[in-house]
């Protein structure tokens, strides 16, 4: 077992997240190379989160909310509001630019959710960019004694999410009642872990609470007991066959490809998000 604690990151304008992947102790989990826990952040004006246009290559971003509304805009012309328990899956592939902004909605007073990055297999790193939105009713549900799992992406326990993926993986939102004992089967070729977004669990004898991740030995079942009513991110999959390099928002099996992406962004060769003129500059380091 490996246990990780998220690091607090300032994304600017007072917007902080808990970042649990990547870390020195775990650069990836299956094909997942990044996990941020956003919020909970009070929403009073709707302008609390303003992430200006920025680029990605070689990965897919997945946004999933527990509370609040975010508006997504991208360089292939997609504009989509995401609400709780829906899925925004954006395949960057050869390159895409997008922005994200919180939105005032009378139904929500806070914003909270998870964003992950999934590295694409080498043969799909240069695939054409795509964007998919799926409503909560489209996502399969699996339940057991005191727990319910909503399958965001991939395959698990005979269910298949409608979200288009490029490698064997599973990514789920798991709600667990206090005192429930959970055992989730994982195939021998897949890595698996849990991230605690709300509540607290006992994972193989160690307390894992909000901001913590437990990574289980490959090929074994994921077992834990909920010490409190909890909300868990359950994710994993077949590990990447080749290492991935990460710089800023770029992920690739090739350092040369990342250098090209850096230069393309610096020299304004990426496509633009329609109607947006501002953008996040390339980091200086």
């Amino acid at each position: 077992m490996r246990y990780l604690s998220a690091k607090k990151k300032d994304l600017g304008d007072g917007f902080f997240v808990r970042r649990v992947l990547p870390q020195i102790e775990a650069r990836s989990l299956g094909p997942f190379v990044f996990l941020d826990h956003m919020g909970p952040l009070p929403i009073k004006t709707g302008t609390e989160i303003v992430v200006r246009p920025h680029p990605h290559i070689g990965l897919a971003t997945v946004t999933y909310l527990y509370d609040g509304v975010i508006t997504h805009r991208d360089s292939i012309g997609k504009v989509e509001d995401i609400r709780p328990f829906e899925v925004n899956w954006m395949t960057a592939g050869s390159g895409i630019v997008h922005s994200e902004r919180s939105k005032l909605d009378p139904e929500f007073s806070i914003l909270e959710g998870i964003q992950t990055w999934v590295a694409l297999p080498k043969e799909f790193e240069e695939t054409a960019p795509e964007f998919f939105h799926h409503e909560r009713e489209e996502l399969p549900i699996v339940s057991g004694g005191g727990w319910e799992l909503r399958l965001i992406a991939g395959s698990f326990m005979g269910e298949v999410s409608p979200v288009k993926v490029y490698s064997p993986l599973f990514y789920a939102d798991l709600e667990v009642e206090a005192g429930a004992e959970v055992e989730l089967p994982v195939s021998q070729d897949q890595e698996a872990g849990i991230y605690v977004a709300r509540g607290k669990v006992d994972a193989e004898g160690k307390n894992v609470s909000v901001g913590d991740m437990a990574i289980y030995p490959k090929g074994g079942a994921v077992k834990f007991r909920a010490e409190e009513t909890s909300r868990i991110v359950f994710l994993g999959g077949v590990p990447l066959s080749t290492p991935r390099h990460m710089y800023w928002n770029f992920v690739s099996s090739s350092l040369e490809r990342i250098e090209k992406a850096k230069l393309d962004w610096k020299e304004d060769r990426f496509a633009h998000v329609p109607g947006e003129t501002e953008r996040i500059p390339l980091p200086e380091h």
Side-chain angles (χ1 to χ4, degrees):
M1 291 283 290
R2 285 180 288 166
Y3 301 96
L4 308 176
S5 292
K7 312 293 185 183
K8 193 175 183 181
K9 296 289 184 179
D10 184 359
L11 300 187
D13 301 320
F15 176 39
F16 290 88
V17 298
R18 294 181 177 94
R19 181 162 300 164
V20 70
L21 285 177
Q23 292 192 32
I24 293 173
E25 298 87 349
R27 306 300 300 175
S28 61
L29 177 57
F32 293 88
V33 294
F34 179 96
L35 191 156
D36 267 5
H37 179 183
M38 307 175 286
L41 176 72
I43 298 295
K44 298 179 179 178
T45 67
T47 59
E48 282 78 4
I49 297 176
V50 178
V51 183
R52 293 170 291 156
H54 57 281
H56 291 283
I57 65 164
L59 56 83
T61 68
V62 193
T63 304
Y64 185 82
L65 300 181
Y66 303 138
D67 279 288
V69 182
I70 288 178
T71 300
H72 161 98
R73 293 182 175 87
D74 64 39
S75 54
I76 59 174
K78 298 291 186 180
V79 179
E80 188 72 57
D81 285 347
I82 182 170
R83 297 173 181 275
F85 318 120
E86 301 174 347
V87 182
N88 275 7
W89 174 289
M90 184 184 75
T91 301
S94 60
I96 198 168
V97 178
H98 75 135
S99 67
E100 295 167 296
R101 291 176 171 83
S102 55
K103 184 175 182 178
L104 194 63
D105 187 292
E107 188 177 347
F108 305 103
S109 59
I110 64 170
L111 188 145
E112 184 179 14
I114 304 292
Q115 186 170 84
T116 57
W117 295 356
V118 182
L120 299 175
K122 192 171 182 178
E123 63 269 27
F124 293 114
E125 285 184 309
E126 297 299 322
T127 195
E130 296 180 298
F131 176 85
F132 302 98
H133 175 86
H134 292 276
E135 303 289 337
R136 62 185 296 176
E137 295 81 8
E138 299 177 62
L139 305 180
I141 301 291
V142 180
S143 59
W147 59 267
E148 182 176 271
L149 179 152
R150 178 177 284 107
L151 187 60
I152 298 168
S155 305
F156 186 71
M157 291 183 69
E159 298 288 348
V160 180
S161 166
V163 175
K164 182 179 179 180
V165 299
Y166 289 83
S167 64
L169 62 87
F170 53 89
Y171 177 31
D173 173 23
L174 180 59
E175 294 181 88
V176 189
E177 298 174 2
E181 302 272 355
V182 180
E183 180 172 347
L184 304 170
V186 179
S187 65
Q188 292 295 314
D189 61 344
Q190 297 192 335
E191 297 176 334
I194 58 171
Y195 171 78
V196 179
R198 296 175 180 174
K200 181 170 64 175
V201 306
D202 181 298
E204 303 291 338
K206 183 176 177 63
N207 278 335
V208 181
S209 55
V210 176
D212 295 335
M213 173 177 276
I215 299 177
Y216 289 74
K218 185 178 177 182
V222 168
K223 301 178 183 180
F224 62 89
R225 181 184 186 277
E227 300 296 298
E228 304 171 0
T229 298
S230 300
R231 182 153 230 137
I232 307 296
V233 179
F234 173 54
L235 74 169
V238 175
L240 301 168
S241 59
T242 54
R244 287 299 183 275
H245 306 286
M246 292 182 64
Y247 172 84
W248 192 36
N249 303 311
F250 304 137
V251 173
S252 178
S253 59
S254 164
L255 284 172
E256 291 77 12
R257 181 65 180 91
I258 287 180
E259 289 301 315
K260 179 181 185 304
K262 289 164 63 175
L263 187 61
D264 286 346
W265 184 246
K266 187 176 181 179
E267 298 188 353
D268 198 20
R269 289 198 288 261
F270 274 84
H272 289 205
V273 177
E276 302 216 26
T277 56
E278 287 190 284
R279 63 179 200 155
I280 299 176
L282 189 75
E284 294 182 0
H285 59 279

